[in-house]
Amino acid sequence: MTTPDGRASAPRLVRPYTVTGGRTRSTGTDLPMETLVTVNDRGRVLAPALRFERADVVALCAAIQSVAEVSARLGLPLGVARVLVGDLHAEGLLDIHRPVLDQAGPDAVLLGKVLDGLQSI
């Protein structure tokens, strides 16, 4: 596992369900794994006050990331990443960018970018 700045991190000693307080759903919106997220101005201002995984998510989202990339890059289970990202969005620290879907299904270019990002990890 590595931190958002590329340093090796210590092995996780906390069980995933404790990171979310045992919740499997966010206090905000449930986000699909392909949802793109970025930190906003409020998140940048409040980032120094955040701790642990919440601080890691906000730091990582300085560059646009999918929820799946947040999960993979931080070594968090996808469900935990979805809850954390959803909570941070509900608190106004992250902006979400949902793909516009038509009747044909998800945008192939977007899915290709997500796949490329996951393969680069």
Side-chain angles (χ1 to χ4, degrees):
M1 237 181 324
T2 59
T3 61
D5 61 5
R7 293 179 291 128
S9 63
R12 187 174 308 280
L13 300 175
V14 176
R15 296 209 180 259
Y17 63 83
T18 61
V19 173
T20 63
R23 293 177 301 122
T24 58
R25 296 208 185 266
S26 168
T27 56
T29 306
D30 282 335
L31 303 173
M33 69 179 183
E34 67 273 9
T35 302
L36 300 175
V37 295
T38 54
V39 67
N40 57 31
D41 291 337
R42 176 179 160 82
R44 282 186 203 87
V45 169
L46 296 178
L50 299 175
R51 299 186 58 190
F52 309 117
E53 290 83 5
R54 293 167 49 85
D56 293 343
V57 170
V58 169
L60 182 63
C61 290
I64 195 162
Q65 305 286 322
S66 70
V67 175
E69 288 172 309
V70 170
S71 169
R73 290 182 190 273
L74 296 180
L76 295 169
L78 182 58
V80 171
R82 289 178 66 201
V83 171
L84 287 175
V85 169
D87 288 353
L88 289 165
H89 169 58
E91 293 168 26
L93 305 179
L94 296 178
D95 289 337
I96 60 172
H97 312 278
R98 294 178 191 233
V100 177
L101 302 179
D102 59 16
Q103 293 179 349
D107 179 31
V109 174
L110 173 65
L111 291 178
K113 288 179 181 179
V114 171
L115 181 59
D116 290 342
L118 289 172
Q119 289 173 338
S120 72
I121 297 176

